[in-house]
Amino acid sequence: MYSVSIRKTRMHPGKHAAALAALEHVKIDTILGVGTGSTVNIFIDALAAAGTRVKGAVASSEATAAKLQEHGIEVLDLNMTGQLELYIDGADESNNNLQLIKGGGAALTREKIIASASREFICIVDQSKQVDVLGEFPLPIEVIPMARSYVAREIVKLNADPEFREAARTDNGNIILDCYGFSITDPVELEAAINAIPGVVTNGLFAMRPADKLIVGYDDGHIEIIDKPS
Ligand code: 5RP
């Protein structure tokens, strides 16, 4: 239906299937929130290839903004748009409640802002991202640089093992601590506890604002659509 290259489809069939399925949810002449990562990049290419007319997009990273602009899609300031109807983004993990770990691409803060400012959040993932309990993927935390060691010590007190993501700077000029070993049985509580540490800008748990819909793409090209439990 859409002109997406077979070569790319073979490389990441699950990501392609999920990204293409998300196109069906984009309404013409609306402003779209757009996340960050390889799955979203496939979505942006497909959106452009399909010729879906949007009024513009709010981007969750400089990389996404550049890609949207390459395709001639106007990038808008969230301060000027008001609430968005739809935000589309990937994830590093999702549980059955559509609570997520995000931030593998270091864009978690802007991603969380746009997800919160959107009426609907559709998350697009391949099958490898679905888990029963969040936490196998190290939880990214964006931290003000001067607070790096302090926040790391506080994370150790929460029984996890923080690792400084060397050479990574977020679009906001901050650093990332990737935290291993969290046992995330109560994602909402942990999200709040980490956010309460001075120096933490955001953590990659999207539990207070989970996705509303998860589109899971499989290697054989089929998709599954899962709605957030009510
Ligand atoms: C970026 C993210 C991405 O959504 C997440 O890392 C998934 O990326 P990909 O689609 O490349 O697997 O949270 O900060």
Side-chain angles (χ1 to χ4, degrees), residues 15 36-40 89-92 102-108 111 129:
K15 290 184 180 192
T36 297
S38 58
T39 317
V40 165
D89 198 357
D92 299 300
K102 290 184 47 54
L108 61 165
E111 291 172 342
K129 308 290 183 71

Side-chain angles (χ1 to χ4, degrees), residues 18-225:
L20 292 186
L23 284 182
E24 311 281 337
H25 297 266
V26 178
K27 297 202 179 82
I28 60 162
D29 288 335
T30 56
I31 300 172
L32 193 60
V34 183
T36 297
S38 58
T39 317
V40 165
N41 284 343
I42 297 165
F43 167 78
I44 296 170
D45 288 339
L47 182 73
T52 309
R53 202 178 63 221
V54 290
K55 262 194 203 152
V58 175
S60 72
S61 63
E62 302 300 333
T64 290
K67 189 162 182 69
L68 288 163
Q69 282 162 339
E70 270 169 31
H71 284 300
I73 298 170
E74 189 180 359
V75 175
L76 302 169
D77 179 347
L78 184 64
N79 291 307
M80 308 306 290
T81 61
Q83 189 191 42
L84 302 177
E85 277 305 301
L86 178 61
Y87 177 53
I88 294 186
D89 198 357
D92 299 300
E93 280 186 354
S94 172
N95 68 14
N96 295 332
N97 293 321
L98 309 198
Q99 296 166 315
L100 313 169
I101 287 183
K102 290 184 47 54
L108 61 165
T109 298
R110 297 186 189 190
E111 291 172 342
K112 199 176 279 195
I113 293 168
I114 303 175
S116 300
S118 299
R119 196 184 57 75
E120 185 177 26
F121 171 15
I122 297 181
C123 185
I124 50 177
V125 294
D126 66 76
Q127 62 192 95
S128 70
K129 308 290 183 71
Q130 277 190 296
V131 296
D132 290 328
V133 180
L134 297 171
E136 196 170 314
F137 189 91
L139 179 66
I141 304 180
E142 178 167 356
V143 175
I144 301 285
M146 72 165 286
R148 187 186 77 213
S149 298
Y150 167 70
V151 171
R153 290 195 296 277
E154 293 300 302
I155 294 298
V156 170
K157 287 182 195 165
L158 294 173
N159 296 320
D161 183 12
E163 191 171 284
F164 175 41
R165 200 184 292 180
E166 299 277 352
R169 271 284 187 276
T170 70
D171 286 343
N172 311 309
N174 297 313
I175 62 107
I176 296 284
L177 293 177
D178 290 308
C179 300
Y180 292 79
F182 269 127
S183 164
I184 309 182
T185 48
D186 188 339
V188 169
E189 188 182 60
L190 185 62
E191 183 177 358
I194 296 172
N195 282 345
I197 302 170
V200 168
V201 179
T202 328
N203 70 80
L205 272 172
F206 283 52
M208 296 180 200
R209 202 294 178 234
D212 298 300
K213 210 180 266 305
L214 185 73
I215 303 181
V216 186
Y218 290 82
D219 288 346
D220 66 2
H222 87 276
I223 57 144
E224 185 183 1
I225 300 183

